[in-house]
Amino acid sequence: MNDKINSNNMSNNIDRFNTSFSTSSFEWLESIAQALVVMVAILSFIFRIATVDGTSMLDTLHDRDKVFILKWNYTPKNGDVVVISRGTQFNKPIIKRVIATESQTLSIDFENNTVTVDGNILDEPYILEPMWRKGDGIIPEVIPKGHTFVMGDNRNNSADSRYREIGVIPNENIVGKATHIIFPFSRIGVIN
């Protein structure tokens, strides 16, 4: 009789373990699925990671740097480093610095290597060397509504708004602001 009771108890314990294990496995998988959905939503709407392709942003950003992009409710501001999505002008995302935004006046003096926005000469400690390349595009005196004028920090090796193939950027093509270098580890830090 004791053998029969022990056998029933053991059978009940196994059933409880199987039920508990199944429930706990399902809850665990459900938690992972929810975490993945939240992560995808965050990466789609708030943050993104991009890889720098080329040397147009030297010495601020290097080729193959990975940068953290803030996307949520971003509006271009002078001096920000931004990621620009593919548009009709080019076939891959690019990273450039905002020089002037809609309705601002702009002039570039290539002889004296100065950029003037709204009558003020910009202090640009981030540029790699004095600018001598003018580009082949038309530099607008006033930035059109809904557009942004961008240039690379390595002005002599940067396809940017000075060139016809890029031109002024429609704001809807600006993905967001590059805020931090996250790789390589030796270069981790805030982007200025």
Side-chain angles (χ1 to χ4, degrees):
M1 175 119 170
N2 278 341
D3 288 341
K4 196 170 191 182
I5 292 173
N6 286 338
S7 174
N8 283 341
N9 283 341
M10 186 179 263
S11 177
N12 287 339
N13 287 339
I14 290 173
D15 288 343
R16 273 186 256 141
F17 173 77
N18 285 339
T19 302
S20 174
F21 180 75
S22 296
T23 302
S24 130
S25 295
F26 178 75
E27 289 171 354
W28 185 74
L29 288 172
E30 184 179 34
S31 294
I32 288 175
Q34 289 172 349
L36 287 173
V37 167
V38 168
M39 184 62 95
V40 167
I42 287 172
L43 291 176
S44 296
F45 300 109
I46 301 174
F47 304 112
R48 184 174 174 182
I49 295 172
T51 301
V52 176
D53 183 16
T55 59
S56 72
M57 284 300 292
L58 285 174
D59 213 28
T60 304
L61 299 173
H62 295 201
D63 186 38
R64 310 313 300 157
D65 280 353
K66 295 208 180 297
V67 295
F68 186 73
I69 311 299
L70 178 61
K71 295 170 57 173
W72 183 260
N73 205 22
Y74 176 72
T75 301
K77 293 177 186 56
N78 295 32
D80 286 353
V81 174
V82 295
V83 173
I84 302 158
S85 68
R86 287 176 217 128
T88 56
Q89 307 95 327
F90 42 93
N91 62 5
K92 62 183 176 180
I94 60 174
I95 298 179
K96 303 293 177 191
R97 187 175 297 273
V98 173
I99 301 302
T101 59
E102 64 178 50
S103 303
Q104 289 188 306
T105 60
L106 171 69
S107 66
I108 300 175
D109 182 345
F110 291 96
E111 288 182 26
N112 294 310
N113 192 41
T114 59
V115 177
T116 304
V117 176
D118 288 340
N120 299 311
I121 294 175
L122 299 182
D123 178 24
E124 298 186 291
Y126 42 76
I127 64 171
L128 184 64
E129 61 188 6
M131 169 179 47
W132 53 267
R133 284 190 125 163
K134 294 181 180 183
D136 63 359
I138 296 170
I139 297 172
E141 289 181 22
V142 177
I143 307 304
K145 186 169 178 59
H147 289 76
T148 298
F149 189 92
V150 299
M151 287 197 285
D153 291 355
N154 185 2
R155 301 275 163 85
N156 298 318
N157 189 27
S158 174
D160 51 40
S161 291
R162 297 172 293 163
Y163 292 86
R164 281 185 301 208
E165 66 186 17
I166 306 291
V168 291
I169 305 295
N171 289 346
E172 62 265 15
N173 288 356
I174 296 177
V175 175
K177 177 181 177 181
T179 61
H180 294 80
I181 298 170
I182 59 171
F183 189 82
F185 297 126
S186 61
R187 293 185 35 75
I188 287 177
V190 175
I191 297 171
N192 295 315

